[in-house]
Amino acid sequence: MKRRNFLKYTSAGVLIPSLAGGIGAKAFGLSPLTSALFNVPENDKVVVLIYLAGGNDGLNTVVPLDQLSKLNNVRPHVIMPESSLLRLEGTQVALHPAMKGFKNLFEEDRLQIIQSVGYPNQNYSHFRSTDIWMSGSDADTLVNSGLPGRYLNYEFPNYPVEYPNTEMPDPLAIELGWNSSLLFQGPSASMGMVINNADDFYGLVGGEVEPAPDTNAGDKIEYVRLIAQQSQVYGQVIKEAAARVPSQGTYPETDLSQQLKIVAKLIAGGLKTKLFLVTLGGFDTHEGQVMQGDNTKGVHAELLKTLSDGVEAFMKDCDGLGVSDKVMGLTFSEFGRRIISNASKGTDHGAAAPQFLFGNFVNSTVLGVNPDIPSNANYESNLDMQFDFRQVYASIFEKWLCVNSSDTTGIILKNMETLPITNYDVCSSTSTHEINQLAGKSMLHISPNPVSSFTNINFESDGTPVVIRLFDIQGRQLGELLRGSFPMGKHNFDWNASSLPSGNYFIRITGAKFDQSKKLIKI
């Protein structure tokens, strides 16, 4: 019996309290019925994103075995011998020989491979393509919010006013190894907390957080002070969560593994944080991708070993800590590499590439077909996209985080077909979504919404000047609806939206000590 099936049928549940005799929900299999029976919040789930910075070479990561003869012809400088590859049983693909950890996860039914993921009209700039992957925009459109950030704004619409609170005392998202990326940026505020590296984390856990500056330099400083004060409180809850996990499993001594170790500690420590981002850099392998004389070794091999071993250690640690059922992870990179190799034993910026999903409830298979390698491939040749990366996000939102399908389009900014990423339905009738909607304090309410013509905008003033503005989904200001000083308390006004084209928008209220956006749907 495979280890995954053994866990599925015999281990004590971690999504609900254990029953008499140590039998948990997983002994029955997770289903809407069992989740409802035991009142399990369906949104007690976490997503761990691993950014492979630089553009990963997908063809040397997941090798299409039926295309090997063609690959030998078009990328002789980097292709590996067939005998060295790690074949995945029941598939037509093999993994790079450095990825033994991922092979183990696949054999445990805890790894999914999605072939040829990308987006239409590929951009080959690191900066622009990274923005596209993080914002979920089209290649010709600029969007100033992150795709996961919009999910967090949907789930916690009152953030950051009166956060943290009883319903959500913890950071909504945490980034490690990246300096405030676009990924967790919401329509008006960053939805995440940044821990630059493992040293900063352990410094935070062991020391005091520097207090917010006591200065009065205008409205913007007041808002910055609010966020700084939230960070202080979040620092304390992180320290408390870390203290609940005095021991963990063994990890490799790599930066990625140490980032993942922190994530496992915080999940096991009880943080309600929904999203985590960790980063592994170095994938821009224009030269020296492989070692002279041995294409199975080199920079790319070391990176893939770091990724594979780190994720395997993370999942083993989560098993030991009893939280692996709560976790789904995915990798992403701004683009793949060209089909042909170059004379510097490297590869250049390309288009589509495979993505990995990992976790106890992923549908452990290979989605899609092997890419077709043209026998006459040249420098302009690229892999065709099979799946839009936004389909992967839509699938995670709906099938793991249990977002209503009617709401997903507003987060993704277009309608995307979902993929079979889970091995069965993990969503139930119980949900934390309604609780999260009420967390914090709402300074703005729009009714009716969706709106066809007139709508009433209710807002709350703290006695200081406020401005209410309209933005499109790209973050561009379209107009100012109201500006002025109002007595402390609730106020409202009617607004005619008849001339506004159909689509999704944000109405944003800004005061001296708050900044909040609410979604508007024009029909």
Side-chain angles (χ1 to χ4, degrees), residues 424-465:
Y424 47 84
D425 185 8
V426 301
C427 292
S428 72
S429 58
T430 60
S431 174
T432 60
H433 179 64
E434 294 304 321
I435 298 173
N436 295 337
Q437 293 289 290
L438 300 175
K441 184 176 182 179
S442 177
M443 306 298 289
L444 186 68
H445 181 71
I446 309 161
S447 180
N449 187 15
V451 58
S452 59
S453 56
F454 281 90
T455 190
N456 186 261
I457 297 177
N458 287 266
F459 67 96
E460 186 161 343
S461 169
D462 61 0
T464 62

Side-chain angles (χ1 to χ4, degrees), residues 212-465:
D214 186 14
T215 182
N216 185 11
D219 296 350
K220 292 184 179 180
I221 293 298
E222 289 288 346
Y223 179 66
V224 170
R225 182 185 296 165
L226 168 66
I227 300 302
Q229 289 168 349
Q230 289 176 343
S231 297
Q232 275 189 277
V233 179
Y234 287 147
Q236 183 60 38
V237 299
I238 286 174
K239 290 170 64 174
E240 293 170 358
R244 297 186 194 109
V245 186
S247 63
Q248 292 183 254
T250 302
Y251 283 79
E253 292 296 327
T254 64
D255 183 59
L256 177 68
S257 288
Q258 295 310 304
Q259 292 178 60
L260 290 170
K261 184 177 182 179
I262 291 169
V263 173
K265 179 184 282 287
L266 295 179
I267 295 171
L271 284 194
K272 294 182 179 180
T273 300
K274 302 301 300 175
L275 306 176
F276 292 87
L277 171 65
V278 299
T279 301
L280 175 62
F283 285 90
D284 195 20
T285 51
H286 289 283
E287 59 183 9
Q289 176 174 322
V290 299
M291 182 183 292
Q292 188 73 36
D294 188 349
N295 287 359
T296 67
K297 297 179 180 179
V299 172
H300 194 233
E302 289 300 319
L303 289 169
L304 294 181
K305 177 177 174 58
T306 296
L307 170 66
S308 176
D309 290 355
V311 171
E312 183 184 32
F314 170 75
M315 289 305 299
K316 286 181 178 178
D317 192 22
C318 287
D319 288 341
L321 294 169
V323 295
S324 56
D325 279 352
K326 295 176 63 172
V327 174
M328 179 176 287
L330 75 153
T331 64
F332 71 100
S333 193
E334 61 261 42
F335 39 62
R337 315 299 288 188
R338 299 279 176 175
I339 291 176
I340 68 170
S341 56
N342 62 40
S344 300
K345 299 194 75 64
T347 50
D348 299 319
H349 298 181
Q355 265 189 286
F356 295 101
L357 270 65
F358 57 89
N360 284 1
F361 293 106
V362 299
N363 178 18
S364 189
T365 188
V366 179
L367 291 185
V369 298
N370 282 348
D372 184 28
I373 306 300
S375 56
N376 60 344
N378 56 41
Y379 186 77
E380 300 301 321
S381 301
N382 263 311
L383 297 183
D384 292 332
M385 178 191 77
Q386 293 185 53
F387 301 105
D388 193 303
F389 76 95
R390 291 164 291 191
Q391 290 181 262
V392 181
Y393 272 116
S395 306
I396 290 172
F397 292 154
E398 290 186 22
K399 300 187 177 186
W400 181 246
L401 296 175
C402 304
V403 174
N404 190 300
S405 59
S406 62
D407 295 329
T408 304
T409 301
I411 301 171
I412 302 292
L413 305 181
K414 58 174 52 189
N415 187 28
M416 284 285 166
E417 182 180 354
T418 59
L419 307 174
I421 64 167
T422 55
N423 48 19
Y424 47 84
D425 185 8
V426 301
C427 292
S428 72
S429 58
T430 60
S431 174
T432 60
H433 179 64
E434 294 304 321
I435 298 173
N436 295 337
Q437 293 289 290
L438 300 175
K441 184 176 182 179
S442 177
M443 306 298 289
L444 186 68
H445 181 71
I446 309 161
S447 180
N449 187 15
V451 58
S452 59
S453 56
F454 281 90
T455 190
N456 186 261
I457 297 177
N458 287 266
F459 67 96
E460 186 161 343
S461 169
D462 61 0
T464 62

Side-chain angles (χ1 to χ4, degrees), residues 137-160:
S137 72
D138 288 334
D140 59 353
T141 304
L142 293 175
V143 174
N144 293 327
S145 58
L147 203 163
R150 292 194 297 276
Y151 159 73
L152 291 171
N153 181 255
Y154 155 84
E155 188 69 21
F156 304 95
N158 296 331
Y159 184 86

